[in-house]
């Protein structure tokens, strides 16, 4: 079946018909900057575009301090910060609280402070396991770190990777955002994904000027019949990088 | 002896101990120790920290707000522990100083912290709400909802918004009585909540929905006010909230669905009926498959929404809600077995049972699905659950299921409902007693094989105890059950029941303060005095000479149509008795005048009942006896025949039919004894039809015997409402059983 061809002129004419509110665009960008924690950029953007940040910019800073603390393994400091920001979060979110304490245990073990690790597990983590049996298996898994060489291969070595801290940092960031009535994911990447998906659907039906590189966002008319998996793959990676 | 760091921290809080900086440091240390850690919370409470904190927050010195803020936060964290922690706080009197911290001139962070702590304290239904409604507290609190006022300072916005959310949540928790709802409304909270609702800030919107829902719950007046308000863009709240029902956040969807449910139950948004069917119902059903707090609350909201609505129950049934609920309940029982931990998910179980009870309330199809979902054994075992809420909800389920004759005959017997039900009749909880007695009404019906066994277990002696119970619903259900027990029963059953129950108790019930109880008591008399002369005589004797007719005479003079109808049917039954029984009626001019008056009553059912009295009094047998002739003469002299003639043109077919029969009796008498009061026209008019009726073979015709009570049929108005209480409450505050009054109204022939 021959695909319908839409010329660049026609495409542009259609695009021009769509009214996009400048304010909405600004809001989208602001939303991204805030949720991702780019406080300075948000401040600048606010000054230049006149878009008012929906939240106090200081709250971004606070979240970022917490995130950095976790990434550095300073769990206690992060906990104190969170409790200063909103003492309700860790009192009403036992799972998150358990994960924080679990990370503290991991950090003790990483530093080779075995006695402290055992004491801490007994005093802080065991009671949480009693309250919520679902935590028990995770606790057991963490404790088994003690049985292996720290740098050697082990079935639980993933607990010592930066990804483990990263996961916790995200969980905590989401909880902080939620407590401030904010989305936990920015809207922009979701929109780009939707755009990419729409192009994919369209590819099957017609040839049209499409965005191949989302970094440049240029409309490129594809040569006839050259639509293939390759081009889709490249757009996909462009989205991921956006 | 060395002190633990915790003991040191507490000792440093003493007012005369240290400079304020050290005390703040100690408080922060304590705070970071107890947040998220229930064991440490208990430890500190045992160390006597609460009174120290109380001292700190009670000082008038406002210079150092940090100290107070930290103390208030620590108190709040205790309140997040468990109910006994909360009570430890309130018992040492922290509520009043916390309310004082809300003073608008105070540090906004202190206000926020105090609001948070109060909100956590009011999470317990056991805490008195009284102080909030005293002095100026409510007014000050409500002003905090106003986040967009002129006081707005940049940098404080998060704190202020957060405070408003907490205040809305406090208000939601302090709407337990009608009076509280009204006071909160009078304080000007509603327009501010509307603004919060339209704020676009999700947590604020959820909090506003929670408060609005609590205000309109069982409060048609406020529901009307709120439904008629306008949001900033001129929109009504209901369509706005309907959009929030489709929000991506489950907690928002739940809050919106809850608010709409209460508005709908108050009957103030009829224009959104189809929206609720098409949008809210499926969303609530989907929530059953989520986890956590939303899954826990959703079935309760669902139950409330569909209660008494056959359409909605059918719709929810079609959405496969029953298998979903059944699997929640049965899965929980399995998990309990695995972990041996009981209690964590009681509320989910209770709410799921309530939803099953609501779905199967009116439709036989839905009941069938519940049985097919193989959940009945779990329901029956939940009747012996340690949590009262679960017991009451399980009993509510059996009540709905027992409205099916088929279930009464089979499934419920097989599942062994009888034992636990009997146990529940001694339960200490009012909600449980209410649904247990309501279920019992159906279990003792004739069609139920359990009727006999439950009588043999001594059910009647339980009845005696329950009618002295100071609760209208329990008393009502009890009379109802006894009435069902003696329905169409053999004389010896009736005698056994009444010997154990006692006629003195019957008299008490006939004079009960609650008209609905009186009505059922009359119904009971009607059933007792039914069918056999012997039975009538038993009631005459049991109640004492003349007592019975005096009571009836009293009821007839009341203006309550329900009492009137039942009283008339008692007369209908007595009039089928011996000559003596008939004469005792005829001797009472008061009664006869009431009967005559009732023949012109606006209710057709009452006109019919009164004509039946006449029919039975004038029953001629093969030929009109002398005594019947005297009776006819007496009635004629009172103007009964004229009244009957006038009723020949009644618009009600039933009335006209009865009139015909009655007039035939008068005519037969006239044919046999001659007519001497010159009312010739009547005989001409009715004469032609008489002979053809050939009813002479039947002896005393008892028109519509006393009805069996209709807890069973879906068309009946008998119903209960088990969802009166607020979150966590199991009190059936609005539980009403109104089947009795219907007795005449929905006559099942």
């Amino acid at each position: 079946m021959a695909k319908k061809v839409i010329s660049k002129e026609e495409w542009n004419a259609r695009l021009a018909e769509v009214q996009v509110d400048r304010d909405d665009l600004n809001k989208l960008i602001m939303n991204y900057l805030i949720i991702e924690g780019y406080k300075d950029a948000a401040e600048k953007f606010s000054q230049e575009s006149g878009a008012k940040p929906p939240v106090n910019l200081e709250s971004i800073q606070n979240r970022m301090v917490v995130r950095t603390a976790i990434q550095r393994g300073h769990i206690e400091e992060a906990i104190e910060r969170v409790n200063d920001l909103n003492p309700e979060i860790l009192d009403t979110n036992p799972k998150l609280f358990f994960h924080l304490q679990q990370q503290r245990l991991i950090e003790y073990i990483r530093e080779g402070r075995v006695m402290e690790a055992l004491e801490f597990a007994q005093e802080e983590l065991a009671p949480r396991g009693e309250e919520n049996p679902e935590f028990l298996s995770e606790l057991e898994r963490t404790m088994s770190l003690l049985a292996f060489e720290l740098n050697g291969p082990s079935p639980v070595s993933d607990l010592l990777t930066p990804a483990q801290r990263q996961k916790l940092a995200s969980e905590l960031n989401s909880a902080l955002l939620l407590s401030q009535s904010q989305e936990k994911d920015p809207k922009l990447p979701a929109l780009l994904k939707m755009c990419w998906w729409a192009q994919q659907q369209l590819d099957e039906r017609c040839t049209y000027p499409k965005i191949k590189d989302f970094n440049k966002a240029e409309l490129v008319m594809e040569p006839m019949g050259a639509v293939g998996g390759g081009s889709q793959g490249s757009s996909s990676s462009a989205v991921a990088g956006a | 002896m060395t002190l633990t760091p915790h003991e040191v921290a507490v000792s440093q809080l003493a007012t005369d101990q240290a400079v304020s900086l050290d005390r703040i440091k100690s408080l922060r240390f304590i705070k970071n120790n107890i947040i998220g850690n229930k064991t440490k919370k208990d430890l500190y409470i045992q160390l006597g920290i609460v009174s120290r904190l109380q001292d700190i927050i009670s000082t008038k010195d406002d210079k150092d707000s940090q100290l107070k803020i930290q103390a208030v936060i620590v108190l709040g964290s205790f309140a997040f522990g468990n109910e006994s922690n909360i009570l430890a706080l309130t018992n040492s009197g922290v509520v009043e100083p916390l309310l004082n911290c809300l003073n608008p001139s105070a540090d906004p962070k202190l206000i926020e912290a105090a609001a948070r702590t109060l909100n956590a304290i009011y999470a317990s239904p056991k805490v008195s709400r009284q102080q909030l409604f005293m002095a100026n507290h409510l007014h000050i609190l409500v002003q905090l909802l106003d986040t967009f006022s002129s006081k707005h300072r940049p940098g404080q916005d998060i704190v202020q918004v957060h405070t408003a959310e907490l205040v809305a949540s406090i208000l939601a928790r302090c709407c337990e009585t009608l009076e509280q709802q009204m006071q909160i409304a009078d304080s000007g909270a509603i327009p501010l909540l509307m603004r919060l609702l339209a704020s676009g800030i999700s947590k604020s919107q959820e909090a506003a929905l929670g408060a609005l829902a609590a205000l309109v719950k069982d409060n048609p007046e406020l529901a009307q006010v709120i439904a008629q308000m306008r949001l900033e863009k001129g929109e009504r709240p209901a369509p706005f909230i309907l959009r929030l029902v489709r929000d991506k956040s489950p907690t928002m969807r739940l809050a919106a669905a809850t608010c709409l449910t209460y508005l709908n139950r108050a009957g103030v948004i009829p224009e959104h009926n189809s929206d609720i069917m098409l949008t809210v119902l499926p969303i609530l059903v989907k929530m059953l498959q989520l986890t956590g707090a939303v899954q826990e609350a959703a079935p309760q909201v669902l139950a409330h929404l569909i209660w008494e609505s056959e359409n909605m129950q059918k719709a929810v049934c079609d959405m496969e809600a029953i298998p979903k609920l059944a699997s929640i309940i049965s899965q929980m029982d399995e998990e309990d077995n695995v972990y041996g931990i009981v209690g964590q998910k009681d509320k989910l179980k209770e709410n799921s049972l309530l939803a099953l009870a609501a779905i199967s309330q009116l439709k036989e199809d839905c009941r069938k699905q519940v049985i097919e979902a193989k959940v009945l054994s779990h329901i029956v075992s939940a009747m012996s659950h340690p949590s009262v809420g679960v017991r009451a909800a399980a009993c509510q389920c059996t009540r709905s299921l027992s409205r099916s004759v088929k279930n009464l005959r089979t499934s419920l017997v097989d599942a062994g409902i009888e034992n636990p039900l009997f146990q529940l009749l001694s339960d200490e909880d009012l909600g449980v007693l209410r649904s247990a007695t309501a279920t019992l009404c159906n279990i003792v019906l004739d069609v139920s094989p359990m009727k006999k066994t439950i009588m043999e277990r001594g059910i009647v002696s339980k009845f005696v105890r329950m009618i002295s119970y100071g609760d209208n619903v329990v008393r009502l259900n009890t009379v109802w059950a006894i009435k069902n027990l003696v329905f169409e029963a053999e004389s010896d059953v009736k005698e056994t029941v009444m010997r154990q129950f006692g006629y003195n108790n019957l008299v008490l019930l006939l004079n009960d303060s609650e008209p609905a109880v009186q009505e059922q008591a009359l119904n009971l008399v009607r059933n007792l005095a039914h069918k056999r002369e012997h039975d009538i005589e038993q009631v005459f004797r049991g109640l004492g000479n003349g007592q019975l007719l005096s009571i009836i005479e009293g009821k007839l003079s009341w203006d309550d149509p329900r009492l009137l109808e039942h009283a008339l049917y008692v007369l209908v039954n007595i009039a089928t008795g011996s000559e003596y029984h008939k004469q005792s009626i005829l001797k009472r001019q008061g009664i006869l005048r009431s009967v005559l008056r009732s023949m012109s009553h606006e209710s057709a059912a009452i006109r019919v009942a009164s004509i039946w009295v006449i029919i039975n009094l004038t029953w001629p047998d093969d030929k009109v006896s002398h005594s019947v002739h005297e009776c006819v003469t007496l009635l004629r002299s009172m103007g009964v025949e004229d009244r009957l003639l006038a009723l020949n043109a009644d618009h009600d077919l039933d009335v006209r039919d009865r009139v015909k029969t009655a007039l035939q009796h008068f005519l037969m008498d006239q044919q046999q004894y001659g007519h001497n009061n010159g009312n010739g026209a009547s005989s001409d008019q009715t004469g032609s039809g008489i002979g053809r009726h050939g009813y002479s073979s039947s002896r005393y015709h008892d028109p519509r015997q006393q009805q069996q009570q209709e807890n069973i049929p879906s068309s009946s108005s008998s119903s209960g409402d088990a969802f009166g209480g607020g979150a966590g409450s199991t009190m059936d505050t609005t539980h009403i059983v109104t089947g009795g009054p219907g007795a005449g109204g929905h006559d099942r022939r």
Side-chain angles (χ1 to χ4, degrees), chain B residues 159-215:
Chain B
V159 175
Q160 282 198 354
V161 168
H162 211 154
T163 305
E165 290 162 8
L166 290 162
V167 168
S169 171
I170 292 174
L171 293 179
R173 288 172 173 177
C174 295
C175 277
E176 288 175 330
T177 65
L178 188 73
E179 207 189 343
Q180 291 171 349
Q181 288 171 327
M182 288 319 204
Q183 281 197 52
I184 290 174
D186 289 344
S187 70
I190 292 175
L192 294 173
L193 287 170
M194 286 292 164
R195 267 212 323 235
L196 211 55
L197 178 65
S199 65
I201 303 170
S202 54
K203 288 272 166 203
S204 300
Q205 291 179 300
E206 280 177 31
L209 285 169
L212 290 170
L215 283 169

Side-chain angles (χ1 to χ4, degrees), chain B residues 297-315:
Chain B
Q300 190 188 17
V301 179
L302 187 68
H304 206 86
L305 182 57
I306 64 175
W307 195 249
E308 280 171 350
S309 162
E310 219 171 298
N311 283 344
M312 291 202 200
Q313 288 165 17
K314 174 89 176 48

Side-chain angles (χ1 to χ4, degrees), chain B residues 50 54 75 78-79 83-98 117-118 120-124 126-129 131:
Chain B
V50 178
Q54 160 100 356
L75 282 171
F78 286 129
E83 196 155 52
S84 67
N85 284 2
I86 295 177
L87 297 178
L89 300 187
T90 51
N91 288 342
S92 29
V94 299
V95 172
E96 188 66 31
L98 282 172
T117 301
L118 282 166
I121 287 174
Y122 286 129
S124 162
K126 288 188 185 154
V127 172
S128 158
R129 271 67 177 147
Q131 277 156 301

